[in-house]
Amino acid sequence: MKINYRQISIMVFMSFIALKFLALPSLLYVESKNMSMLVALALMLIDGIYVFVLLDLMKKSGEKNIYEFMKSCLGTVITKLVLILLILKYALVAGNISKGLEFFVVENLYTEFNWFVFVLPLMILVGFMVYKGIRNIARVGEMVCWAIVIGLIYIALKALSGIDILSFLPFFKDGFKPLVDSAWIHLSWFGSATFMFMLFGFVDFSSEKKTKMIKYIIFAILIVQLLYFVFYGLFEVTCPTHNYCISDISQFSSTYSAIDELSWLVVSMWIVAQAVQLGLYGYCMAQAIKYLFDIKGNILSIIIVVVYLLAWSFIGENTIRMEEIFFTPFASIVTFLAQYILPVVLQIAYTIKNRKKKGGEKVKEVDYEREKNRDKEEVKVNI
């Protein structure tokens, strides 16, 4: 079953904001200080460009899935290597969402909560979403999308009065190098379009409107910039100590309790959105494993994904932070290759393949014309 253009637009929107509102704002501040918003802006704009590169490749692939398309362009061996790269990327993102949710709920919201009581139902939910397939994940994303948007805007606007605009001055105090360093160190928090590789052959472009996708991307960027503006304006030099952006903003703006009733609802909806994203990247990881090992059916690949996520919960047990394990130069290299190099390589490979195909067709046409002329000459001679 295919998803429509509106659904993939919403999935891109959700993916753009998925990892942006927990630890990332405080981590960016360590290197780029009051210019951290610009780092996020630049990387999200680049991700937006690559969304359209991947959409173009999707249309070129026709009914082929990503494995069939890459195999036709790159050959079997290179395709297998690329699938390993994509599995690593999906494992990084899914692991970060899973562990981030666990820390957020167990350490921040419910300190007396047993981590296993939270993790086990979450893993069952992920396995079920992956089993039901991409169309069901897309539908759930449609249902929660606008509730999340309204909630995030509500939290941001409620806290605006506490912002100190002067905290953003001076601009570029240490030049551009800290911004470049920060972008590379935290690159693996971005690469928001990589999930689209596993949607090749599963998108219906009959209702395509490019302006719709552009609007969703711009909207995602604006929401992230608004929340970051509020976060950095509120906490200034103490930003590195605030690891839970969305709840820290909520707590700051609440008057009568740690988090007021409506803010609790927003935070809860955001947790649901994170679970949907975990299901999406779990699905992508399962599909890539299925293609790599030529697995028939979905059960085995789903089990591998769920076991992987459970393993990180057991190993970590509230002591290992995902950003300390995964978000290293290795993770940045994986993201750089998967998000920014692979689509370009596929475009080049597809173009070369098409030129060779057209060249072969032209040669056949020339040979056919020669045969026709030769037959005509033989007929004349016989006459």
Side-chain angles (χ1 to χ4, degrees), residues 207-245:
S207 60
E208 178 187 7
K209 290 182 180 178
K210 288 186 179 179
T211 54
K212 183 179 292 184
M213 181 66 80
I214 292 171
K215 288 175 183 176
Y216 275 104
I217 291 172
I218 292 173
F219 199 28
I221 293 171
L222 290 176
I223 287 176
V224 171
Q225 290 296 299
L226 174 62
L227 265 292
Y228 280 22
F229 174 74
V230 172
F231 180 78
Y232 295 128
L234 290 177
F235 301 113
E236 303 177 25
V237 294
T238 65
C239 285
T241 65
H242 294 272
N243 292 319
Y244 305 104
C245 170

Side-chain angles (χ1 to χ4, degrees), residues 4 28 67 103 115 242 253 317 370 382:
N4 59 43
L28 286 173
Y67 178 72
F103 277 117
W115 66 274
H242 294 272
S253 60
E317 199 172 345
R370 285 176 181 172
N382 291 333

